[in-house]
Amino acid sequence: MVSIERFVRVKSLAEAYELNQERMNTVLGGFMWLKMGNRKIENAIDLSGLSLDTIEETGEEFSIGCMCSLRTLELHEGLHHAFQGVIREAVHHIVGVQFRNGATVGGSVYGRFGFSDVLTCLLALDCYVELYKGGIVPLHEFATMKSDNDILVRIHIKKDGRKASYQSQRITRTDFPIIAAAAAKKDNTLFISIGARPGKASLLIKDDCLLDENSADDEIAALAEWARDQYKYGSDIRAGQEYRRHLAFVYVKRALQEILRGVTA
Amino acid sequence: MIINIWLNGRQLTREIEADLLLIDFLRNNGCYSVKRGCETSNCGLCSVLLEDKPVLSCSTLAARADGKHVYTLEGLQPQAEEFGSFMADQGAEQCGFCSPGLVISVLAMEKELNNPSDEEIKEYLSGSLCRCSGYMSQLRAIKLYLDRKGAQEYERN
Amino acid sequence: MSAIDQPVRKKDAMALVTGKPVYTQDIAPKDCLVVKLLGSPHAHALIKEIDIGPALQVPGIECILTYKDVPDSRFTLAGQTYPEPSPYDRLILDQRLRYVGDAVAIVAGENEKAVEEALDLIKVQYEVLQPVLDFRRALDHEVIIHPEENWKSLAPVGADNRRNLCASEEVEYGDVDQVISECEWIIEQTYHTKANQQVMMETFRTFTHLDTFGRLVCVSSTQVPFHVRRILANAIGIPKSQIRVIKPRIGGGFGAKQTAVSEIYPAIVTWKTGKPAMIIYTRRESFTSSSPRHEMEIRVRLGADKEGIIRGIDVYTLSNTGAYGEHGPTTVGLSGHKSIPLYGKVEAFRFGYDVVYTNVMSAGAYRGYGATQGCFAVESAVNELAAKMQMDPVRIREINMVRQGQVMPAYYGEKLNSCALDRCMAKAKAMIGWDDKYPCKDMGNGKIRSVGVAMTMQGSGISGVDTASVSIKVNDDGFYSMSIGATDMGTGCDTSLAQIAAECLDCSVENIIVSGVDTDASPYDTGSYASSTAYVTGNAVVKTCAALRQRIKAEGSAQLGCPVEDIEIDGEKVYRVDTDESISLKDLANGAMCGNSNALSATESFSSPVSPPPFVVGMAEVEIDKETGKVDLIDYVAVVDCGTVINTNLARVQTEGGIAQGIGMALYEDIKYTEKGQMVSNSLMQYKIPSRLDVGTIRVAFESSYEPTGPFGAKSIGEVVINTPSPAIANAVYNGVHVNIRELPITAEKVYMGMHKEK
């Protein structure tokens, strides 16, 4: 297990930031994955005292504190209705209620894990990461940035009226996904994200998308094929490359069908 | 470091190592109902209530429970007996090693969900693994328990 | 009957559901040394040098043991009756390391952190050797896994360590090649099952200490306390009289704890240091260094005539025992002996096998014990035969299944005295709606629903070997205390055996207290494995109660002054049949504690010349996504013939639990190794056992036969219930999308790839 010399419940983000500049110090998220490593941590930086565990909703956006639990995210009615339940759909498979009460949004996003349902889902939304020093960065940029010593403070999701869908396949219902796909549409722009390939999710944008509820199956399929081909796939303990590639097509297609027609095929 | 925890309603002040896990803190303080079944946050055996929410005590630093209320079955004996008797009537406990974690989650579910469907029950409790029972007897016990609680509620109103 | 066939609560139920401290770790002394093992990083290596100097300097370290510190006499960890069929191929620590995780050193210290630090400081120089990782190439491989001179096999099982061969045999009845060659329909296929993990929720754990007399006391989560006593004596090289083994409550076993996985390590630490010591396996260690199911590859050849009557079955099993031979020679036998006899019209059969050593973790006992693997293979082959003949797979079983009264040549020539397999099939068919649903229905939304079937049998104890003893005594006020050597591991045998005793003694179950196992105090029992407890120990209870009744009658006749023939007992009182004069059992018992020279107690043993098989028919309904191959289990029906049901709740839960484990094996659980022999699926994160969302709906019913040799007609139930899901679900998949999955688990990927390969 990880070892920790000191546990520091910081009084301010400035204090957290300063501590986090040392290599042997680290910010605690939910501690779900961190504890499984063998790291020796000098100062474990705990942000629990900074009231960052809530979701605030305004007319324009949702502002989600980094210490907000995945369970809080899952149960938030405003988020649920704003994005057709995609966030709940992305989160509710993750291990179990007890786990999701512990795991944090900040930890999930900061980790930028390949298997991340949260990252895959949020990428398809108009989502931003608020960093203490770095300011506000679009999530798709943050996803490709190297880990540094900044502090992830909040996640912002804009209420821009996107229609979204989240799809995934797992070996058991509470396992990591063997593929995860999210899609969202605003006007004629499509936002697609495919994760657990098993590499981490990244955002694909398609402008001038003319698909609508009357589009034929093969038009939708053609777009899903195109989206599939924009990503690389690999093999791991859970699934092979060829199969994942096929699943990416199937689930992007189903996500598009859901967005356009409001039903999953 | 020194922490203050309200453990089963009683305030405890203890000197701990910074990386002590809540599960070990609890077992060191006599709460043997809390079991460890894995190291990867998957099994749910170590579930306890932290500020009324079910959490994995194996994945929670004891330091994070500082100033908070923690409940284990040691502090919930009447509730455990009440629901547990429904488990016992089904033979649903089998080896019993996962029972305390499940009971904690059922007590939390009861407060959180109103009149849950079978699917909602299964989903809420999916983080509590059991290898003996095949889960069906637990579902029977939970439904009978919730039905009776519901009936009691109805009579009171 | 009052106590039998009842949903009696388990005697320990309320303690368990309210979280009382009753398991091994909960009751250990606070000052136990923490014991941990250094595992080999290599699949095959020799220790050239090992330096423990710096590690010993860590404050709090009490002792570090290497191969230089342990006896050089080999033994087996298999919990089996002496002389064990499993070879004596182990040392506590060996210079040769045979799998990744094999113990290199034992470290004991005051706390976990010190021990972890010391483990990091042990410096080992390994001579890395070529490993044998493919069990298909292990036999007569140039690399020998057990070249040592003092390797020995105590039983004639066909073992030859120079050939990497742990056991080998072939039996033939009739001329199977001739019979199959005459058949209209022939199937020949090979099936592969993996080394599933038992995943009992309580991992392996043991603590040891010395008692007042300097004897070694071992408290362990084990299914086999008496065997553990012998194993520890063999391993440490001390007399058995110096060892006492106690079994507290156990957090599940499923066969895993029929191997003494953890006991030897704290035991030798305590023996060397005189201090109490405890080992708690991490989940990871429980995955990498334990006793999983034997991986098997099974070739099945079936021949049937034009009506579908199966005339010949030829089974060859290759079994992978891994680095050591625990349960290797015995599990393999069940792959044929529990699968072939289901087909009662077979004129000839052949069953051959080889069990080979490889450089992966040693296998052991897991519920089903080879029968599970054989069931997947033979039942799948029968389903393929039915498909080839375009015959309903239920129908082919109806016309071929073994019937009550038949002699079973493939089951050691035993006569089948009780069998409701036909009724099980009919009931299962009705419950799942087979005739409406077979083979499949297109749901019109990209999904197909289909059904599949399998049947199975197991035994009830090991005939002529398993031995159970039971002691019962009458106490103050007439309550009974019953000592058993069988181990309740959550299964509830403390309760179900009390039900049998209550039935025999005409009293309430509450009037019988049951003591679990302490080898100093309990009567001998081989242990709880091989589906033996209800049948073998249950029979011992019946026998003991009969003897005790005679003693009570004798005491009654003395007190009432009449011949013993005139005495009867009704549970409450002892009375004279001629005069109705009586004395209450309470008064009799209390009287027996004053100036009495007759012990009101009895001890009897039981062993059975036969092992009557229980039966299960399993039917699965699945929904398959045509586009992805994903299989969702919707409904599973199991109908069981375990003879008379002793405890209706416990039998039902055993069945539901066994089915769920079988579903895990069928759909989710997979052991994977790297090309260097390191296990990848070494946690509950990577080895996926089913959650409650993954088992569909499991529905269970009983169709009881009456076993004349069983206690009140009972047979076993513990193991047989795990066998059917793999072949039944595989059959459902075939019936839905015409893909035969012959290697478990049945993943969406395999189904999808199969759909696209065969088209």
Side-chain angles (χ1 to χ4, degrees):
Chain A
M1 202 192 97
V2 70
S3 75
I4 298 169
E5 217 160 287
R6 274 181 303 280
F7 176 89
V8 186
R9 183 168 290 176
V10 294
K11 304 245 169 8
S12 68
L13 284 168
E15 184 190 355
Y17 182 81
E18 196 174 322
L19 277 171
N20 200 35
Q21 300 315 299
E22 294 297 323
R23 202 173 49 85
M24 295 292 279
N25 298 347
T26 201
V27 177
L28 297 176
F31 197 58
M32 318 310 284
W33 307 124
L34 187 65
K35 72 153 189 168
M36 294 173 211
N38 281 318
R39 277 186 69 180
K40 293 197 188 317
I41 297 169
E42 233 159 62
N43 291 296
I45 306 161
D46 179 37
L47 307 178
S48 304
L50 303 179
S51 303
L52 288 169
D53 57 349
T54 56
I55 301 175
E56 280 150 41
E57 182 177 358
T58 65
E60 291 77 46
E61 65 161 27
F62 297 94
S63 168
I64 303 163
C66 62
M67 294 303 288
C68 170
S69 75
L70 296 186
R71 181 72 178 158
T72 303
L73 195 68
E74 174 186 354
L75 296 180
H76 195 272
E77 287 300 324
L79 271 172
H80 187 66
H81 290 116
F83 302 109
Q84 301 83 45
V86 285
I87 291 179
R88 186 173 297 176
E89 175 56 30
V91 169
H92 81 115
H93 299 284
I94 301 172
V95 189
V97 168
Q98 308 97 309
F99 185 97
R100 300 197 295 278
N101 273 329
T104 60
V105 176
S108 296
V109 172
Y110 187 83
R112 287 160 274 195
F113 302 112
F115 54 74
S116 179
D117 289 293
V118 177
L119 182 66
T120 306
C121 177
L122 293 182
L123 275 170
L125 303 179
D126 191 17
C127 184
Y128 301 83
V129 170
E130 179 185 332
L131 300 167
Y132 177 68
K133 279 285 167 190
I136 291 189
V137 179
L139 178 64
H140 64 90
E141 276 177 34
F142 178 77
T144 59
M145 280 162 55
K146 280 206 178 120
S147 292
D148 61 14
N149 297 336
D150 211 339
I151 309 270
L152 193 161
V153 184
R154 289 176 182 283
I155 305 287
H156 300 269
I157 309 175
K158 300 290 177 198
K159 288 181 173 174
D160 67 346
R162 288 183 198 194
K163 287 193 75 179
S165 168
Y166 188 80
Q167 307 279 331
S168 62
Q169 183 172 318
R170 291 150 217 275
I171 291 174
T172 61
R173 291 263 300 266
T174 55
D175 192 11
F176 294 124
I178 57 176
I179 201 78
K185 186 167 183 283
K186 182 178 186 323
D187 305 326
N188 288 339
T189 306
L190 263 182
F191 304 88
I192 292 167
S193 150
I194 307 177
R197 311 186 316 276
K200 84 176 161 211
S202 61
L203 175 64
L204 180 66
I205 298 175
K206 166 89 177 154
D207 291 318
D208 309 321
C209 170
L210 298 174
L211 294 176
D212 60 23
E213 69 268 25
N214 300 315
S215 296
D217 282 347
D218 55 355
E219 288 177 272
I220 295 172
L223 199 128
E225 275 179 24
W226 170 81
R228 173 198 66 197
D229 292 344
Q230 309 309 306
Y231 292 90
K232 282 199 169 68
Y233 303 87
S235 300
D236 66 3
I237 182 174
R238 285 180 170 72
Q241 180 184 23
E242 189 186 340
Y243 184 56
R244 276 202 164 93
R245 195 177 134 79
H246 168 68
L247 290 184
F249 159 72
V250 172
Y251 289 109
V252 169
K253 185 184 76 178
R254 289 182 186 180
L256 294 175
Q257 284 168 340
E258 189 173 73
I259 293 168
L260 298 168
R261 300 171 185 165
V263 287
T264 316
Chain B
M1 63 186 292
I2 290 174
I3 57 167
N4 277 293
I5 290 187
W6 290 87
L7 176 55
N8 293 322
R10 206 162 59 91
Q11 194 176 11
L12 280 185
T13 304
R14 291 284 187 274
E15 169 90 43
I16 60 157
E17 304 264 328
D19 50 11
L20 183 71
L21 296 173
L22 184 57
I23 183 175
D24 295 316
F25 176 88
L26 295 170
R27 288 190 64 94
N28 292 345
N29 284 284
C31 298
Y32 294 111
S33 70
V34 187
K35 303 292 192 240
R36 184 182 256 117
C38 71
E39 302 89 52
T40 49
S41 313
N42 289 99
C43 73
L45 266 60
C46 65
S47 300
V48 299
L49 298 179
L50 176 64
E51 297 292 297
D52 287 335
K53 286 183 180 158
V55 299
L56 300 172
S57 63
C58 78
S59 306
T60 306
L61 286 167
R64 275 202 161 153
D66 188 15
K68 297 193 171 163
H69 287 84
V70 176
Y71 275 91
T72 69
L73 280 199
E74 280 77 4
L76 298 164
Q77 285 289 297
Q79 295 90 327
E81 275 174 31
E82 190 185 5
F83 168 59
S85 67
F86 285 83
M87 290 272 285
D89 284 341
Q90 295 293 331
E93 72 288 342
Q94 280 280 297
C95 86
F97 206 71
C98 74
S99 295
L102 175 71
V103 173
I104 286 281
S105 283
V106 169
L107 296 178
M109 177 182 77
E110 189 190 344
K111 287 193 176 158
E112 213 174 309
L113 304 185
N114 188 22
N115 202 11
S117 66
D118 285 11
E119 186 65 16
E120 285 168 333
I121 292 172
K122 288 187 202 177
E123 182 150 308
Y124 192 94
L125 301 172
S126 62
S128 294
L129 298 179
C130 168
R131 191 60 157 171
C132 292
S133 71
Y135 304 113
M136 304 305 294
S137 54
Q138 296 179 353
L139 184 63
R140 291 193 289 274
I142 291 162
K143 287 168 69 175
L144 288 168
Y145 167 72
L146 293 179
D147 282 355
R148 205 188 74 171
K149 296 280 275 196
Q152 284 170 354
E153 202 88 335
Y154 182 78
E155 274 167 31
R156 236 177 280 135
N157 297 332
Chain C
M1 284 189 187
S2 56
I4 303 290
D5 200 21
Q6 296 294 323
V8 177
R9 259 193 200 184
K10 267 172 64 191
K11 285 176 170 289
D12 54 359
M14 290 312 292
L16 303 186
V17 294
T18 55
K20 295 293 187 291
V22 294
Y23 301 91
T24 302
Q25 190 184 10
D26 305 338
I27 59 172
K30 285 259 185 271
D31 59 346
C32 276
L33 294 172
V34 173
V35 179
K36 285 186 175 285
L37 306 175
L38 180 67
S40 169
H42 306 291
H44 197 189
L46 288 172
I47 299 173
K48 284 175 71 179
E49 270 182 54
I50 183 161
D51 178 10
I52 60 170
L56 275 172
Q57 300 303 311
V58 175
I61 291 301
E62 182 69 28
C63 99
I64 299 178
L65 303 174
T66 71
Y67 72 93
K68 296 166 190 166
D69 306 309
V70 301
D72 187 31
S73 173
R74 290 188 187 270
F75 58 92
T76 179
L77 294 178
Q80 297 181 302
T81 297
Y82 179 84
E84 301 95 322
S86 301
Y88 278 24
D89 56 6
R90 275 201 194 252
L91 300 174
I92 298 175
L93 297 166
D94 203 339
Q95 190 175 8
R96 180 181 293 269
L97 305 165
R98 298 181 178 81
Y99 70 94
V100 176
D102 207 355
V104 174
I106 305 170
V107 180
E110 283 168 12
N111 60 67
E112 192 160 337
K113 279 196 170 169
V115 173
E116 296 279 1
E117 192 182 338
L119 284 169
D120 280 347
L121 292 172
I122 296 174
K123 293 280 166 283
V124 192
Q125 268 191 50
Y126 298 99
E127 180 186 341
V128 179
L129 305 173
Q130 184 192 344
V132 181
L133 296 172
D134 180 355
F135 78 128
R136 297 173 187 88
R137 296 180 52 214
L139 185 63
D140 294 322
H141 197 282
E142 57 183 8
V143 174
I144 300 174
I145 294 166
H146 283 280
E148 57 275 7
E149 291 299 322
N150 61 355
W151 178 97
K152 68 180 172 198
S153 169
L154 278 57
V157 296
D160 182 351
N161 60 317
R162 312 299 304 182
R163 300 183 62 203
N164 288 335
L165 189 60
C166 178
S168 179
E169 192 180 74
E170 185 177 295
V171 290
E172 187 165 358
Y173 171 87
D175 186 342
V176 75
D177 291 326
Q178 178 62 34
V179 167
I180 291 179
S181 73
E182 294 163 7
C183 287
E184 266 78 11
W185 300 97
I186 296 172
I187 287 286
E188 182 168 357
Q189 283 297 348
T190 301
Y191 303 88
H192 183 199
T193 60
K194 304 279 186 70
N196 301 94
Q197 303 267 10
Q198 298 89 346
V199 201
M200 59 285 159
M201 282 295 136
E202 181 197 38
T203 59
F204 301 95
R205 53 197 58 197
T206 304
F207 73 83
T208 50
H209 61 93
L210 298 183
D211 70 7
T212 313
F213 313 101
R215 295 168 72 229
L216 180 69
V217 181
C218 170
V219 180
S220 192
S221 182
T222 179
Q223 296 172 230
V224 286
F226 286 96
H227 293 328
V228 166
R229 182 171 68 184
R230 180 183 62 253
I231 292 164
L232 289 178
N234 286 348
I236 306 175
I238 60 175
K240 297 179 181 77
S241 62
Q242 292 302 299
I243 301 169
R244 174 182 181 189
V245 181
I246 296 169
K247 176 217 75 103
R249 292 290 105 188
I250 302 181
F254 314 120
K257 295 169 183 173
Q258 195 199 337
T259 300
V261 169
S262 59
E263 288 85 353
I264 52 175
Y265 305 110
I268 192 163
V269 167
T270 292
W271 195 250
K272 295 241 180 204
T273 64
K275 296 189 174 180
M278 175 157 66
I279 193 163
I280 306 281
Y281 272 48
T282 61
R283 179 58 65 189
R284 184 190 169 109
E285 287 167 327
S286 271
F287 274 117
T288 59
S289 313
S290 56
S291 54
R293 192 183 289 292
H294 285 77
E295 175 184 29
M296 291 186 190
E297 188 172 79
I298 303 177
R299 194 184 67 228
V300 184
R301 203 154 59 99
L302 292 178
D305 70 13
K306 59 181 188 305
E307 267 78 44
I309 300 299
I310 298 171
R311 298 180 55 204
I313 303 182
D314 183 8
V315 174
Y316 169 78
T317 303
L318 178 67
S319 172
N320 182 1
T321 196
Y324 300 96
E326 276 89 18
H327 303 281
T330 39
T331 44
V332 70
L334 279 68
S335 68
H337 293 306
K338 301 276 158 76
S339 58
I340 301 168
L342 286 166
Y343 295 90
K345 294 182 178 166
V346 164
E347 297 156 39
F349 72 86
R350 176 164 52 213
F351 172 44
Y353 58 76
D354 292 301
V355 183
V356 294
Y357 283 117
T358 60
N359 289 113
V360 298
M361 153 168 55
S362 171
Y366 181 7
R367 196 180 207 172
Y369 203 81
T372 316
Q373 296 94 313
C375 177
F376 175 60
V378 172
E379 290 301 290
S380 291
V382 170
N383 285 330
E384 293 200 42
L385 174 69
K388 197 170 179 180
M389 295 180 64
Q390 296 188 307
M391 191 171 189
D392 183 329
V394 167
R395 179 76 193 136
I396 201 166
R397 287 177 171 82
E398 286 169 343
I399 62 173
N400 281 290
M401 67 171 59
V402 69
R403 304 274 167 168
Q404 188 165 306
Q406 270 190 269
V407 171
M408 299 177 286
Y411 193 60
Y412 317 107
E414 273 188 30
K415 188 180 171 201
L416 186 54
N417 289 318
S418 60
C419 177
L421 190 52
D422 50 350
R423 282 189 276 137
C424 291
M425 187 64 77
K427 178 97 171 195
K429 213 176 150 177
M431 280 172 74
I432 208 156
W434 180 271
D435 289 337
D436 292 334
K437 291 175 178 170
Y438 171 79
C440 66
K441 182 181 175 195
D442 197 313
M443 306 300 284
N445 59 353
K447 308 265 175 83
I448 286 186
R449 282 206 181 186
S450 54
V451 288
V453 62
M455 62 187 190
T456 189
M457 63 181 265
Q458 199 85 26
S460 299
I462 308 171
S463 52
V465 175
D466 282 350
T467 299
S469 314
V470 170
S471 298
I472 306 181
K473 59 182 178 182
V474 185
N475 303 281
D476 318 35
D477 293 354
F479 83 89
Y480 300 97
S481 49
M482 179 165 78
S483 294
I484 57 171
T487 46
D488 191 334
M489 52 181 137
T491 46
C493 74
D494 287 355
T495 306
S496 53
L497 293 172
Q499 288 178 255
I500 294 176
E503 187 70 16
C504 294
L505 297 168
D506 298 310
C507 68
S508 70
V509 178
E510 291 72 38
N511 205 38
I512 296 172
I513 61 159
V514 183
S515 305
V517 191
D518 172 344
T519 56
D520 275 10
S522 306
Y524 182 78
D525 193 297
T526 38
S528 286
Y529 59 87
S531 295
S532 60
T533 303
Y535 180 77
V536 182
T537 312
N539 267 321
V541 171
V542 171
K543 207 170 155 185
T544 305
C545 289
L548 184 63
R549 283 181 78 106
Q550 283 309 314
R551 292 227 149 196
I552 296 171
K553 282 184 183 177
E555 184 62 23
S557 83
Q559 301 235 2
L560 296 174
C562 68
V564 74
E565 294 76 39
D566 293 340
I567 293 287
E568 265 309 331
I569 312 170
D570 70 0
E572 294 288 314
K573 62 183 189 300
V574 179
Y575 62 95
R576 286 181 65 160
V577 285
D578 50 347
T579 65
D580 262 6
E581 199 182 343
S582 72
I583 176 169
S584 72
L585 193 62
K586 176 178 172 179
D587 289 343
L588 184 99
N590 289 338
M593 292 185 165
C594 179
N596 170 37
S597 303
N598 298 316
L600 278 187
S601 66
T603 300
E604 293 291 336
S605 288
F606 179 82
S607 183
S608 174
V610 293
S611 177
F615 297 92
V616 173
V617 170
M619 291 188 183
E621 182 176 5
V622 302
E623 185 171 274
I624 307 165
D625 185 322
K626 287 195 282 186
E627 223 174 1
T628 63
K630 188 163 193 314
V631 179
D632 284 328
L633 181 65
I634 303 298
D635 189 18
Y636 200 95
V637 165
V639 185
V640 182
D641 168 19
C642 61
T644 301
V645 176
I646 306 287
N647 185 313
T648 49
N649 270 350
L650 298 181
R652 186 176 181 188
V653 176
Q654 277 286 309
T655 308
E656 290 165 347
I659 296 296
Q661 285 183 7
I663 290 167
M665 175 184 186
L667 291 173
Y668 313 119
E669 298 175 31
D670 203 356
I671 286 214
K672 290 191 173 170
Y673 287 94
T674 66
E675 57 194 20
K676 288 185 170 171
Q678 294 145 326
M679 191 188 292
V680 186
S681 34
N682 59 8
S683 68
L684 286 174
M685 194 192 294
Q686 308 295 20
Y687 185 88
K688 300 313 292 186
I689 66 168
S691 78
R692 67 192 72 227
L693 291 167
D694 301 302
V695 294
T697 300
I698 302 170
R699 295 186 291 143
V700 170
F702 291 87
E703 280 293 334
S704 295
S705 60
Y706 187 91
E707 171 53 41
T709 68
F712 300 101
K715 301 186 279 189
S716 83
I717 191 163
E719 295 184 274
V720 70
V721 291
I722 200 173
N723 297 336
T724 58
S726 293
I729 293 171
N731 184 225
V733 168
Y734 177 82
N735 290 333
V737 294
H738 289 258
V739 174
N740 281 303
I741 302 293
R742 302 188 183 100
E743 179 184 74
L744 298 177
I746 304 162
T747 62
E749 182 169 13
K750 286 179 194 168
V751 175
Y752 172 78
M753 293 300 178
M755 287 166 74
H756 290 266
K757 194 176 74 188
E758 296 186 9
K759 267 173 196 167

